[in-house]
Amino acid sequence: MDLAVIAAKQVLQLLLMILAGAACCKWGVFKPSEKSVLANILLYLVVPAMVLDSYMVEFDPATFHNLLLAFLLGALALLVGLAIAFAGTLGTEKSVRPIMWFACAFSNAGYMGFPLIRALFGTEGLLYASGFVTVFNILIWTIGTTVLSGTVQPRQIARNVVTCPCILAVAAGLVIYLCRIPVPEILTGPVGAVGDMNTPLSMIITGATIASSDLKKLLSNPNLFRTLAVRMLLVPAVTLGLFALLGLQGMVPTIVLLLEACPCAAITTMFAIQYRHDEELAAGSVVFSTLGSIVTLPIYALLLTALL
């Protein structure tokens, strides 16, 4: 119950920041098109700094064991999610199936997940969350882009993986953590301060996305509700059931499950534009799953409290 209450309070705080971002967009503080600049700052600077900061802790064998477990359980949950998304989109039109599958398969673990995990579990929780997000990014830039593009481009896939800012931050963080490299405060201070921008900045971007969307038009897409049902209900429910059957308990499984229960990945819309898929379905999936998560994430946290 405590986890659910904390999650509800945190989601409410996130909602207030989302509303602030929406207000800024509506009142002309910045134009909707300019949110891409904020998104790039988040992707290339803030999130890597936050991930790197989580590794700047004293080495502990138990913590390292849990980090390895986070990588393993993250891979398991994500692969299960990919399979469920495939099954859940069978029978849909071939033209929309790839972007539907992507929206169902990949959660918004970075934008919505990291702020929630940080509030619930602190820096140690972020460390384990980085394991999940590393596997997440590898799958997005390999299987995800392959499905959306319809072609296999090994060189481009390898380039995307090795240049992903979050993965580079994890690699650098692991070197610092495992080699026990002392980092002076003159560096840890700025890195931590920049990383602290993640929650407000990501929520402002989310709010701007919602404010700049035609909600009525997005709701008219017939495939939207099926996508939301698979992403927000089916994927978390099956993954939770699997973890319960395996007898997995504790902080790491809980973190992985919370990250997998987050709304559709914000990058879904960008990929829909890049690979010429249904942009309205992609945008609607991101917007309405984000709004729905305000209710579903606390409920899911309550279920985790009862079952794990």
Side-chain angles (χ1 to χ4, degrees), residues 77-91:
L78 286 162
L79 290 174
V80 168
L82 264 61
I84 297 169
F86 175 79
T89 54
L90 287 176

mmCIF file with all atom_site columns, all heavy atoms in Angstrom, residues 77-91:
data_model
loop_
_atom_site.group_PDB
_atom_site.id
_atom_site.type_symbol
_atom_site.label_atom_id
_atom_site.label_alt_id
_atom_site.label_comp_id
_atom_site.label_asym_id
_atom_site.label_entity_id
_atom_site.label_seq_id
_atom_site.pdbx_PDB_ins_code
_atom_site.Cartn_x
_atom_site.Cartn_y
_atom_site.Cartn_z
_atom_site.occupancy
_atom_site.B_iso_or_equiv
_atom_site.pdbx_formal_charge
_atom_site.auth_seq_id
_atom_site.auth_comp_id
_atom_site.auth_asym_id
_atom_site.auth_atom_id
_atom_site.pdbx_PDB_model_num
ATOM 1  N N   . ALA A 1 77 ? 11.515 -9.145  -19.492 1.00 0.00 ? 77 ALA A N   1
ATOM 2  C CA  . ALA A 1 77 ? 10.267 -8.391  -19.570 1.00 0.00 ? 77 ALA A CA  1
ATOM 3  C C   . ALA A 1 77 ? 10.076 -7.768  -20.949 1.00 0.00 ? 77 ALA A C   1
ATOM 4  O O   . ALA A 1 77 ? 8.973  -7.793  -21.517 1.00 0.00 ? 77 ALA A O   1
ATOM 5  C CB  . ALA A 1 77 ? 10.252 -7.309  -18.493 1.00 0.00 ? 77 ALA A CB  1
ATOM 6  N N   . LEU A 1 78 ? 11.140 -7.213  -21.499 1.00 0.00 ? 78 LEU A N   1
ATOM 7  C CA  . LEU A 1 78 ? 11.030 -6.551  -22.791 1.00 0.00 ? 78 LEU A CA  1
ATOM 8  C C   . LEU A 1 78 ? 10.751 -7.543  -23.921 1.00 0.00 ? 78 LEU A C   1
ATOM 9  O O   . LEU A 1 78 ? 9.938  -7.270  -24.814 1.00 0.00 ? 78 LEU A O   1
ATOM 10 C CB  . LEU A 1 78 ? 12.310 -5.769  -23.080 1.00 0.00 ? 78 LEU A CB  1
ATOM 11 C CG  . LEU A 1 78 ? 12.456 -4.476  -22.265 1.00 0.00 ? 78 LEU A CG  1
ATOM 12 C CD1 . LEU A 1 78 ? 13.898 -3.989  -22.272 1.00 0.00 ? 78 LEU A CD1 1
ATOM 13 C CD2 . LEU A 1 78 ? 11.535 -3.394  -22.826 1.00 0.00 ? 78 LEU A CD2 1
ATOM 14 N N   . LEU A 1 79 ? 11.400 -8.696  -23.890 1.00 0.00 ? 79 LEU A N   1
ATOM 15 C CA  . LEU A 1 79 ? 11.159 -9.709  -24.928 1.00 0.00 ? 79 LEU A CA  1
ATOM 16 C C   . LEU A 1 79 ? 9.738  -10.258 -24.829 1.00 0.00 ? 79 LEU A C   1
ATOM 17 O O   . LEU A 1 79 ? 9.085  -10.505 -25.854 1.00 0.00 ? 79 LEU A O   1
ATOM 18 C CB  . LEU A 1 79 ? 12.190 -10.831 -24.815 1.00 0.00 ? 79 LEU A CB  1
ATOM 19 C CG  . LEU A 1 79 ? 13.620 -10.442 -25.209 1.00 0.00 ? 79 LEU A CG  1
ATOM 20 C CD1 . LEU A 1 79 ? 14.590 -11.577 -24.919 1.00 0.00 ? 79 LEU A CD1 1
ATOM 21 C CD2 . LEU A 1 79 ? 13.694 -10.053 -26.687 1.00 0.00 ? 79 LEU A CD2 1
ATOM 22 N N   . VAL A 1 80 ? 9.259  -10.432 -23.606 1.00 0.00 ? 80 VAL A N   1
ATOM 23 C CA  . VAL A 1 80 ? 7.861  -10.851 -23.421 1.00 0.00 ? 80 VAL A CA  1
ATOM 24 C C   . VAL A 1 80 ? 6.924  -9.783  -23.970 1.00 0.00 ? 80 VAL A C   1
ATOM 25 O O   . VAL A 1 80 ? 5.939  -10.083 -24.650 1.00 0.00 ? 80 VAL A O   1
ATOM 26 C CB  . VAL A 1 80 ? 7.569  -11.120 -21.925 1.00 0.00 ? 80 VAL A CB  1
ATOM 27 C CG1 . VAL A 1 80 ? 6.065  -11.272 -21.688 1.00 0.00 ? 80 VAL A CG1 1
ATOM 28 C CG2 . VAL A 1 80 ? 8.293  -12.375 -21.457 1.00 0.00 ? 80 VAL A CG2 1
ATOM 29 N N   . GLY A 1 81 ? 7.243  -8.521  -23.693 1.00 0.00 ? 81 GLY A N   1
ATOM 30 C CA  . GLY A 1 81 ? 6.431  -7.419  -24.201 1.00 0.00 ? 81 GLY A CA  1
ATOM 31 C C   . GLY A 1 81 ? 6.404  -7.374  -25.721 1.00 0.00 ? 81 GLY A C   1
ATOM 32 O O   . GLY A 1 81 ? 5.350  -7.121  -26.327 1.00 0.00 ? 81 GLY A O   1
ATOM 33 N N   . LEU A 1 82 ? 7.541  -7.628  -26.356 1.00 0.00 ? 82 LEU A N   1
ATOM 34 C CA  . LEU A 1 82 ? 7.599  -7.647  -27.817 1.00 0.00 ? 82 LEU A CA  1
ATOM 35 C C   . LEU A 1 82 ? 6.701  -8.747  -28.380 1.00 0.00 ? 82 LEU A C   1
ATOM 36 O O   . LEU A 1 82 ? 5.996  -8.542  -29.383 1.00 0.00 ? 82 LEU A O   1
ATOM 37 C CB  . LEU A 1 82 ? 9.046  -7.870  -28.286 1.00 0.00 ? 82 LEU A CB  1
ATOM 38 C CG  . LEU A 1 82 ? 9.867  -6.626  -28.652 1.00 0.00 ? 82 LEU A CG  1
ATOM 39 C CD1 . LEU A 1 82 ? 10.017 -5.685  -27.448 1.00 0.00 ? 82 LEU A CD1 1
ATOM 40 C CD2 . LEU A 1 82 ? 11.252 -7.030  -29.160 1.00 0.00 ? 82 LEU A CD2 1
ATOM 41 N N   . ALA A 1 83 ? 6.726  -9.917  -27.731 1.00 0.00 ? 83 ALA A N   1
ATOM 42 C CA  . ALA A 1 83 ? 5.900  -11.044 -28.184 1.00 0.00 ? 83 ALA A CA  1
ATOM 43 C C   . ALA A 1 83 ? 4.409  -10.751 -27.999 1.00 0.00 ? 83 ALA A C   1
ATOM 44 O O   . ALA A 1 83 ? 3.591  -11.048 -28.878 1.00 0.00 ? 83 ALA A O   1
ATOM 45 C CB  . ALA A 1 83 ? 6.293  -12.307 -27.425 1.00 0.00 ? 83 ALA A CB  1
ATOM 46 N N   . ILE A 1 84 ? 4.054  -10.161 -26.853 1.00 0.00 ? 84 ILE A N   1
ATOM 47 C CA  . ILE A 1 84 ? 2.651  -9.821  -26.595 1.00 0.00 ? 84 ILE A CA  1
ATOM 48 C C   . ILE A 1 84 ? 2.163  -8.780  -27.597 1.00 0.00 ? 84 ILE A C   1
ATOM 49 O O   . ILE A 1 84 ? 1.041  -8.851  -28.104 1.00 0.00 ? 84 ILE A O   1
ATOM 50 C CB  . ILE A 1 84 ? 2.479  -9.302  -25.158 1.00 0.00 ? 84 ILE A CB  1
ATOM 51 C CG1 . ILE A 1 84 ? 2.836  -10.391 -24.155 1.00 0.00 ? 84 ILE A CG1 1
ATOM 52 C CG2 . ILE A 1 84 ? 1.048  -8.823  -24.917 1.00 0.00 ? 84 ILE A CG2 1
ATOM 53 C CD1 . ILE A 1 84 ? 2.945  -9.890  -22.723 1.00 0.00 ? 84 ILE A CD1 1
ATOM 54 N N   . ALA A 1 85 ? 3.018  -7.807  -27.882 1.00 0.00 ? 85 ALA A N   1
ATOM 55 C CA  . ALA A 1 85 ? 2.661  -6.770  -28.855 1.00 0.00 ? 85 ALA A CA  1
ATOM 56 C C   . ALA A 1 85 ? 2.430  -7.379  -30.234 1.00 0.00 ? 85 ALA A C   1
ATOM 57 O O   . ALA A 1 85 ? 1.504  -6.981  -30.953 1.00 0.00 ? 85 ALA A O   1
ATOM 58 C CB  . ALA A 1 85 ? 3.766  -5.719  -28.919 1.00 0.00 ? 85 ALA A CB  1
ATOM 59 N N   . PHE A 1 86 ? 3.242  -8.360  -30.594 1.00 0.00 ? 86 PHE A N   1
ATOM 60 C CA  . PHE A 1 86 ? 3.064  -9.043  -31.887 1.00 0.00 ? 86 PHE A CA  1
ATOM 61 C C   . PHE A 1 86 ? 1.722  -9.762  -31.924 1.00 0.00 ? 86 PHE A C   1
ATOM 62 O O   . PHE A 1 86 ? 0.957  -9.636  -32.890 1.00 0.00 ? 86 PHE A O   1
ATOM 63 C CB  . PHE A 1 86 ? 4.206  -10.031 -32.114 1.00 0.00 ? 86 PHE A CB  1
ATOM 64 C CG  . PHE A 1 86 ? 4.042  -10.874 -33.352 1.00 0.00 ? 86 PHE A CG  1
ATOM 65 C CD1 . PHE A 1 86 ? 4.342  -10.339 -34.603 1.00 0.00 ? 86 PHE A CD1 1
ATOM 66 C CD2 . PHE A 1 86 ? 3.575  -12.178 -33.281 1.00 0.00 ? 86 PHE A CD2 1
ATOM 67 C CE1 . PHE A 1 86 ? 4.171  -11.112 -35.764 1.00 0.00 ? 86 PHE A CE1 1
ATOM 68 C CE2 . PHE A 1 86 ? 3.412  -12.942 -34.428 1.00 0.00 ? 86 PHE A CE2 1
ATOM 69 C CZ  . PHE A 1 86 ? 3.713  -12.411 -35.669 1.00 0.00 ? 86 PHE A CZ  1
ATOM 70 N N   . ALA A 1 87 ? 1.412  -10.503 -30.862 1.00 0.00 ? 87 ALA A N   1
ATOM 71 C CA  . ALA A 1 87 ? 0.144  -11.232 -30.803 1.00 0.00 ? 87 ALA A CA  1
ATOM 72 C C   . ALA A 1 87 ? -1.041 -10.271 -30.751 1.00 0.00 ? 87 ALA A C   1
ATOM 73 O O   . ALA A 1 87 ? -2.091 -10.519 -31.363 1.00 0.00 ? 87 ALA A O   1
ATOM 74 C CB  . ALA A 1 87 ? 0.133  -12.150 -29.579 1.00 0.00 ? 87 ALA A CB  1
ATOM 75 N N   . GLY A 1 88 ? -0.875 -9.173  -30.027 1.00 0.00 ? 88 GLY A N   1
ATOM 76 C CA  . GLY A 1 88 ? -1.966 -8.223  -29.856 1.00 0.00 ? 88 GLY A CA  1
ATOM 77 C C   . GLY A 1 88 ? -2.308 -7.420  -31.095 1.00 0.00 ? 88 GLY A C   1
ATOM 78 O O   . GLY A 1 88 ? -3.393 -6.829  -31.173 1.00 0.00 ? 88 GLY A O   1
ATOM 79 N N   . THR A 1 89 ? -1.388 -7.370  -32.058 1.00 0.00 ? 89 THR A N   1
ATOM 80 C CA  . THR A 1 89 ? -1.641 -6.598  -33.276 1.00 0.00 ? 89 THR A CA  1
ATOM 81 C C   . THR A 1 89 ? -1.941 -7.496  -34.478 1.00 0.00 ? 89 THR A C   1
ATOM 82 O O   . THR A 1 89 ? -2.115 -6.983  -35.596 1.00 0.00 ? 89 THR A O   1
ATOM 83 C CB  . THR A 1 89 ? -0.429 -5.708  -33.606 1.00 0.00 ? 89 THR A CB  1
ATOM 84 O OG1 . THR A 1 89 ? 0.764  -6.517  -33.676 1.00 0.00 ? 89 THR A OG1 1
ATOM 85 C CG2 . THR A 1 89 ? -0.232 -4.649  -32.536 1.00 0.00 ? 89 THR A CG2 1
ATOM 86 N N   . LEU A 1 90 ? -2.036 -8.792  -34.270 1.00 0.00 ? 90 LEU A N   1
ATOM 87 C CA  . LEU A 1 90 ? -2.407 -9.700  -35.360 1.00 0.00 ? 90 LEU A CA  1
ATOM 88 C C   . LEU A 1 90 ? -3.822 -9.376  -35.831 1.00 0.00 ? 90 LEU A C   1
ATOM 89 O O   . LEU A 1 90 ? -4.703 -9.068  -35.033 1.00 0.00 ? 90 LEU A O   1
ATOM 90 C CB  . LEU A 1 90 ? -2.332 -11.157 -34.895 1.00 0.00 ? 90 LEU A CB  1
ATOM 91 C CG  . LEU A 1 90 ? -0.937 -11.757 -34.703 1.00 0.00 ? 90 LEU A CG  1
ATOM 92 C CD1 . LEU A 1 90 ? -1.046 -13.168 -34.138 1.00 0.00 ? 90 LEU A CD1 1
ATOM 93 C CD2 . LEU A 1 90 ? -0.162 -11.774 -36.028 1.00 0.00 ? 90 LEU A CD2 1
ATOM 94 N N   . GLY A 1 91 ? -4.022 -9.446  -37.117 1.00 0.00 ? 91 GLY A N   1
ATOM 95 C CA  . GLY A 1 91 ? -5.346 -9.178  -37.662 1.00 0.00 ? 91 GLY A CA  1
ATOM 96 C C   . GLY A 1 91 ? -5.579 -7.733  -38.042 1.00 0.00 ? 91 GLY A C   1
ATOM 97 O O   . GLY A 1 91 ? -6.603 -7.408  -38.655 1.00 0.00 ? 91 GLY A O   1
#
